[in-house]
Amino acid sequence: MSLILLTIKGISYSQTQSGAYALVLSEMEGTRTLPIIIGAFEAQSIAIALETEIRPPRPLTHDLFKTFSDRFKINIKEVIIHKLVDGVFFSSLVCEKEGKEEVIDTRTSDAIAIAVRFNAPIYAYENILDKAGIYLKVEEELELENQQESTEISLELEEIVKQDDDNFSSLTLKELHNQLNNAVEDENYEMAAKIRDEISKRS
């Protein structure tokens, strides 16, 4: 049974489950996407790992796993989504230490949050994409950007946190950078995302 290489296409609020999020994976060489419902914590953890400017001052659970694995020289080679039962995806972490390989069962949301931190490839079996794969029109249903010509990740942290009416337009860039640093130190990732976006608008 063949394995299909996937990439993270984006994260959106779930249209079917309140308080949940839809993580959308896309096959690298094809047009199918695989939407997976995940929890708020896992969605935030994946988003933070994908961000380049926001780093939590204290490690999240998946960051701790990465530090632990690095310290004991355990490498995550790949993640495999290997089973789908009643709408629930089952995954495995393929780990390696000193040339010995081990396979660990894990929730798919945790597996992907870990894979991002290790830059590990994410695979799914062909039969899972046959059952649950949806063609790119799913992006419209999930309110993701419909850019079929691009493989860039469309992921903004403000899609995962509640927005408010903060206005940073009156601040200078230096003041914005100072506030960004303060927000990250205070673990206020919602505020940090908004400040980061204001900085990006001016770049």
Side-chain angles (χ1 to χ4, degrees):
M1 193 181 304
S2 61
L3 287 170
I4 306 298
L5 180 62
L6 304 174
T7 186
I8 297 175
K9 186 69 176 177
I11 299 175
S12 173
Y13 288 110
S14 172
Q15 303 298 309
T16 58
Q17 293 188 26
S18 177
Y21 298 83
L23 168 68
V24 181
L25 304 177
S26 175
E27 59 180 332
M28 292 289 289
E29 298 181 1
T31 59
R32 288 174 294 183
T33 59
L34 193 65
I36 300 174
I37 302 301
I38 63 175
F41 171 77
E42 291 78 11
Q44 185 185 60
S45 181
I46 293 169
I48 288 175
L50 291 169
E51 285 288 338
T52 57
E53 296 183 19
I54 298 177
R55 285 292 176 266
R58 295 184 300 172
L60 302 177
T61 302
H62 300 111
D63 297 323
L64 177 61
F65 182 94
K66 175 68 163 61
T67 302
F68 178 90
S69 300
D70 289 344
R71 186 66 56 87
F72 290 95
K73 295 181 172 56
I74 300 169
N75 182 46
I76 303 301
K77 292 181 61 179
E78 59 191 17
V79 165
I80 299 176
I81 303 172
H82 62 83
K83 187 166 64 173
L84 174 62
V85 179
D86 296 329
V88 178
F89 293 90
F90 292 78
S91 296
S92 299
L93 287 175
V94 181
C95 311
E96 184 181 50
K97 178 178 170 62
E98 297 177 350
K100 184 177 180 181
E101 193 172 278
E102 297 284 348
V103 178
I104 301 175
D105 184 47
T106 178
R107 296 188 308 168
T108 299
S109 55
D110 288 328
I112 293 172
I114 291 169
V116 172
R117 287 163 169 81
F118 281 87
N119 293 317
I122 302 167
Y123 296 97
Y125 282 114
E126 177 74 42
N127 67 328
I128 291 177
L129 277 169
D130 288 341
K131 289 180 183 178
I134 302 174
Y135 287 90
L136 285 176
K137 64 181 181 179
V138 73
E139 294 179 10
E140 298 175 1
E141 299 168 1
L142 297 175
E143 299 180 355
L144 297 173
E145 292 183 358
N146 186 16
Q147 299 179 353
Q148 298 182 8
E149 73 282 357
S150 174
T151 58
E152 293 182 2
I153 294 170
S154 171
L155 177 63
E156 296 293 341
L157 192 57
E158 63 268 21
E159 294 177 350
I160 298 175
V161 294
K162 182 180 179 182
Q163 297 190 11
D164 57 23
D165 296 325
D166 291 323
N167 186 351
F168 301 104
S169 59
S170 62
L171 300 179
T172 66
L173 275 175
K174 182 177 180 180
E175 290 171 332
L176 286 171
H177 282 289
N178 288 337
Q179 288 208 15
L180 176 61
N181 292 334
N182 291 337
V184 172
E185 289 176 4
D186 293 339
E187 300 183 30
N188 188 345
Y189 304 125
E190 177 179 355
M191 183 71 70
K194 296 177 190 300
I195 298 171
R196 178 213 59 201
D197 291 342
E198 180 65 28
I199 293 173
S200 297
K201 288 178 185 176
R202 303 188 191 184
S203 299

